[in-house]
Amino acid sequence: MGIQETNGTPQIDPTSEDNYRNFLDSIFEKQNEDPHRYGGRQVAGQFVQELFDILFAGFFSDLNFRDRTQVEDSISRFLLDAKKKLQPYLVGSNGPEINWVLSEFKKELPILYDLIWRDAIAAYKGDPAAESVKEVILAYSGFYAIAVHRVAHVLHRLRIPIFPRMLSEYAHEKTGIDIHPGAKIGKSFFMDHGTGIVIGGTSEIADNVKIYQGVTLGALSVSKDLASIKRHPTIEENTIIYAGATILGGDTVIGRNSIIGGNTWVTQSVPPYSVVYQKNEIRVRNSKELDNVIDFSI
């Protein structure tokens, strides 16, 4: 089909024109399979930006509220616009009714706001390099990723199809941090540096947990028909997980106040107050070995 090769020479398939017409027809037909317009992936970014413009006025936007009424009016306008963005994902699904979703989301906003600010404070207290909470809000990718996750998780709990996953992928693209919207994350969560962190959808993370770059909270291999079971680990409060650690399995529980060392591989539970680490061996070469130096170039 299309361009073929005969004895190394490209030859045009005589049916390629028909193939191209079929290709055009397929695009036309698929757009009409669902008459509702989703607006593309950029809608997720717009949703987050418009909400954060309000929640972080003066940080993420130039908004300058003169009184509480202006704040309330801005939230009302946001919810009205959100209705247009979310409605297409609910039509024809088994999901809830849009007005109920927006009413519940509005109720969640104060809780959401408090959680996000606690995360910012946790990052400031947990990173000696942070000079202020303002710096965390404006410059820390880990803070941005958890803030977006908080929003996505609320919409996930409200049974909005697809859109919460779009929000998490938007944050993933911007920060390199991949958190499934289903993950349950407690208060004062801090991802230091953050790049390469992966947190699976059935993960449960308690309060005051700190995670470094490259950590994976993943699943042991399971078949598709077991997708609804808990596949990802539980991390109890006050745990620190250092860079590159991999923790797998739905039955795996990391007990409270534990430390998981860098580059460790954990597939079974550890009790509270544990320290898990990978032992490195240091050997000093003798003079005879110096003639055969292995020189790595990266």
Side-chain angles (χ1 to χ4, degrees):
M1 297 178 66
I3 297 178
Q4 300 179 339
E5 287 194 5
T6 302
N7 296 325
T9 302
Q11 301 290 326
I12 302 298
D13 184 346
T15 64
S16 62
E17 191 64 32
D18 290 338
N19 291 336
Y20 192 74
R21 283 196 293 268
N22 291 337
F23 159 68
L24 298 177
D25 289 341
S26 179
I27 292 175
F28 177 75
E29 290 165 3
K30 282 184 169 56
Q31 71 159 6
N32 292 310
E33 287 177 1
D34 188 340
H36 308 290
R37 296 294 178 260
Y38 297 102
R41 296 177 68 175
Q42 68 271 14
V43 174
Q46 292 168 359
F47 183 94
V48 167
Q49 187 61 49
E50 290 166 5
L51 178 59
F52 286 3
D53 281 351
I54 299 170
L55 299 185
F56 302 103
F59 294 91
F60 287 1
S61 71
D62 294 329
L63 288 178
N64 183 21
F65 298 121
R66 292 191 298 272
D67 53 44
R68 189 175 67 183
T69 300
Q70 283 194 334
V71 179
E72 187 173 17
D73 288 346
S74 293
I75 292 174
S76 296
R77 286 193 297 271
F78 166 77
L79 292 173
L80 188 63
D81 190 57
K83 182 175 183 178
K84 299 174 186 177
K85 289 182 172 67
L86 297 177
Q87 180 73 60
Y89 299 91
L90 291 170
V91 175
S93 73
N94 294 322
E97 196 272 329
I98 185 61
N99 289 326
W100 178 85
V101 167
L102 294 175
S103 175
E104 292 301 305
F105 186 76
K106 183 178 180 180
K107 294 176 185 177
E108 290 279 350
L109 280 175
I111 302 169
L112 186 66
Y113 184 69
D114 179 66
L115 284 172
I116 292 173
W117 274 96
R118 285 174 181 262
D119 295 329
I121 294 169
Y124 169 63
K125 291 182 176 179
D127 184 2
E131 297 181 358
S132 66
V133 175
K134 294 178 182 178
E135 181 184 5
V136 169
I137 293 170
L138 290 170
Y140 277 47
S141 62
F143 168 74
Y144 189 82
I146 185 58
V148 175
H149 171 74
R150 300 288 190 195
V151 177
H153 183 66
V154 170
L155 295 177
H156 177 80
R157 286 196 291 104
L158 294 176
R159 296 183 292 118
I160 301 284
I162 303 174
F163 194 74
R165 193 67 185 89
M166 292 172 63
L167 292 178
S168 64
E169 186 56 29
Y170 173 74
H172 183 198
E173 290 177 353
K174 289 182 72 68
T175 67
I177 298 169
D178 186 0
I179 311 176
H180 191 283
K184 299 176 181 178
I185 300 178
K187 301 173 185 175
S188 302
F189 180 61
F190 176 36
M191 293 177 285
D192 201 354
H193 302 294
T195 305
I197 288 175
V198 178
I199 299 176
T202 60
S203 300
E204 296 183 21
I205 301 174
D207 299 343
N208 304 309
V209 169
K210 182 177 183 179
I211 293 180
Y212 284 81
Q213 69 272 17
V215 166
T216 297
L217 304 183
L220 293 167
S221 180
V222 294
S223 61
K224 187 68 175 178
D225 60 350
L226 297 177
S228 60
I229 69 168
K230 188 178 187 309
R231 307 181 307 282
H232 305 95
T234 296
I235 312 298
E236 294 186 345
E237 62 269 19
N238 306 316
T239 292
I240 300 174
I241 307 174
Y242 283 99
T246 297
I247 304 173
L248 305 177
D251 294 329
T252 301
V253 177
I254 305 301
R256 66 187 184 278
N257 297 93
S258 290
I259 296 175
I260 307 300
N263 298 316
T264 50
W265 181 273
V266 181
T267 58
Q268 59 187 18
S269 297
V270 300
Y273 299 94
S274 295
V275 177
V276 179
Y277 63 93
Q278 175 178 282
K279 185 176 182 180
N280 294 315
E281 181 180 344
I282 299 175
R283 183 175 63 86
V284 180
R285 293 174 296 167
N286 62 47
S287 59
K288 294 181 180 179
E289 293 178 300
L290 296 178
D291 294 331
N292 298 307
V293 175
I294 298 175
D295 185 14
F296 291 103
S297 179
I298 298 177

